Amino acid sequence: MNLPRPLRTAAAPALLTATALLALTACGSSEADSGSGAGGTVEIRIPDPGNSGVLALGKKDGSLDKALAKAGAKVRWTGSAGPFAPAAQAMNANQLDIATGSITSGITSLAQRPGFKFFTAVDPDAAGEGILVKNGSGVGSVADLVGKKVAVNQGGTGEYLLLKALAKAGIPAEKVKRVYLRPDQTAAVFNAGKVDAWAVWATYAVAEIGSGKAHFVADGAAIGSDNYSLNAVRTGFAEQHPGVVKALYRYLHDASAKEKRDPAAYLNVFTDVGPTAVTGKAKEVQTAFTREGGTVDAIGPQDIERFEDVAGFYAEQKVTPDKVDVATHLLDIEKLK
């Protein structure tokens, strides 16, 4: 079943944003829990957001800590934002309290005794994810991928987008060779012509499209993607500090609506030069994607049905051995106190 999207009030990216490119490393201390700082303030461990997005601006102007202070908490920035799988492992090991990821990478992580729950949803990115090909490649449709090599991240967004695109086009998955690569290692392989296409999302697509040398042969809308972006919280933290989680949600929800209205204000927060800066045509691409994105919202019944559709698809495609029960790993943010 592919349900219509639930109505949202505005649009913007998820908790951790497109320019946070580094893998999650040095994830916090070895202490037993997030613990409390001076005066009993609760510390919530979140990967450093990098140079762009809601959290980057919240870090720079102090607005995030100000919002969390009302719930008796403050942020401890730790490590760097990156793929969800290592972030999930860090939450499972009690080294991290908050992370973001797609429902697709979330499902594969949920299949492995998770110590986290999802508490927000951002609608699938119809414009910013898809099957990327180089201009002049001769690949003009999904059907042209037959016999070709496509880079994907195993069990995550890339593999999902490719399999979903092939299924929609009626092409058996085995007719296309999947090349499993880490997203942060794929650009060089793609640009060297060692793969024919790259199933990818905005974090990495912006630079390639912005270069003027690549485009989506099919974007999320054409694929019919149900690839939500989700924010996860360590289960133990949510049980101990539900009010802090709710305060974080409110901040993200409100800030994401503001980002929709003024995307440029959330780009290049700390610097407009260097590898973390988004410049030139890429800045225009990112701004357009942000305007078309979705807000950070509470998870609703229609969202859950679409999550279950993705879980069923993953089981059918043998990405997971069985269908993962996503619903048991969700928090109703409105019921937290």
Side-chain angles (χ1 to χ4, degrees):
M1 183 185 303
N2 191 10
L3 297 172
R5 293 183 187 173
L7 294 176
R8 307 290 192 186
T9 57
L15 170 57
L16 304 177
T17 58
T19 55
L21 304 181
L22 300 177
L24 187 75
T25 56
C27 295
S29 70
S30 60
E31 62 189 19
D33 198 352
S34 302
S36 298
T41 301
V42 175
E43 291 186 328
I44 181 169
R45 297 166 296 183
I46 302 176
D48 189 278
N51 192 33
S52 295
V54 164
L55 287 185
L57 189 58
K59 177 183 179 182
K60 182 178 181 180
D61 66 13
S63 60
L64 177 57
D65 270 337
K66 183 178 179 180
L68 292 177
K70 296 176 182 178
K74 67 177 182 179
V75 175
R76 173 144 57 93
W77 303 106
T78 177
S80 300
F84 184 70
Q89 292 172 358
M91 286 188 290
N92 292 346
N94 191 16
Q95 296 176 326
L96 190 66
D97 298 313
I98 299 292
T100 194
S102 63
I103 183 59
T104 48
S105 58
I107 285 170
T108 52
S109 294
L110 286 174
Q112 304 172 25
R113 296 187 180 182
F116 60 89
K117 292 184 183 294
F118 293 109
F119 68 103
T120 74
V122 178
D123 280 348
D125 188 355
E129 64 180 14
I131 311 298
L132 194 71
V133 298
K134 290 193 291 185
N135 297 345
S137 68
V139 177
S141 69
V142 173
D144 293 333
L145 295 174
V146 171
K148 300 289 198 300
K149 294 184 290 186
V150 182
V152 302
N153 59 313
Q154 188 170 14
T157 292
E159 188 161 30
Y160 169 78
L161 291 172
L162 176 61
L163 291 174
K164 188 76 172 177
L166 295 176
K168 186 171 183 180
I171 299 168
E174 61 271 18
K175 295 289 187 180
V176 176
K177 180 174 178 56
R178 279 168 270 175
V179 179
Y180 292 124
L181 292 168
R182 271 178 30 193
D184 59 345
Q185 297 176 331
T186 307
V189 177
F190 174 73
N191 286 304
K194 295 180 180 179
V195 294
D196 301 290
W198 183 5
V200 66
W201 58 102
T203 302
Y204 303 96
V206 165
E208 301 303 323
I209 296 172
S211 73
K213 298 178 181 179
H215 65 278
F216 284 136
V217 71
D219 61 15
I223 291 169
S225 172
D226 279 328
N227 187 39
Y228 281 77
S229 179
L230 308 177
N231 289 315
V233 58
R234 185 172 60 81
T235 303
F237 187 92
E239 291 172 346
Q240 295 168 30
H241 310 294
V244 177
V245 179
K246 193 162 188 175
L248 176 61
Y249 162 70
R250 286 172 175 162
Y251 179 85
L252 295 171
H253 174 74
D254 293 346
S256 66
K258 295 176 183 177
E259 186 179 20
K260 159 66 178 177
R261 294 192 292 269
D262 186 14
Y266 292 80
L267 290 176
N268 304 329
V269 172
F270 291 99
T271 179
D272 57 5
V273 296
T276 65
V278 184
T279 59
K281 181 66 175 178
K283 188 173 182 179
E284 295 177 22
V285 172
Q286 180 62 69
T287 298
F289 286 168
T290 299
R291 287 200 176 104
E292 295 183 50
T295 50
V296 176
D297 289 307
I299 298 169
Q302 286 188 316
D303 302 319
I304 297 171
E305 289 192 49
R306 293 174 74 183
F307 298 168
E308 295 293 348
D309 284 346
V310 177
F313 180 74
Y314 257 24
E316 291 169 8
Q317 296 289 328
K318 303 188 186 307
V319 177
T320 56
D322 301 294
K323 182 180 177 181
V324 174
D325 184 3
V326 180
T328 60
H329 302 286
L330 305 176
L331 288 180
D332 186 342
I333 197 70
E334 302 299 343
K335 293 182 180 179
L336 296 183
K337 297 181 180 180

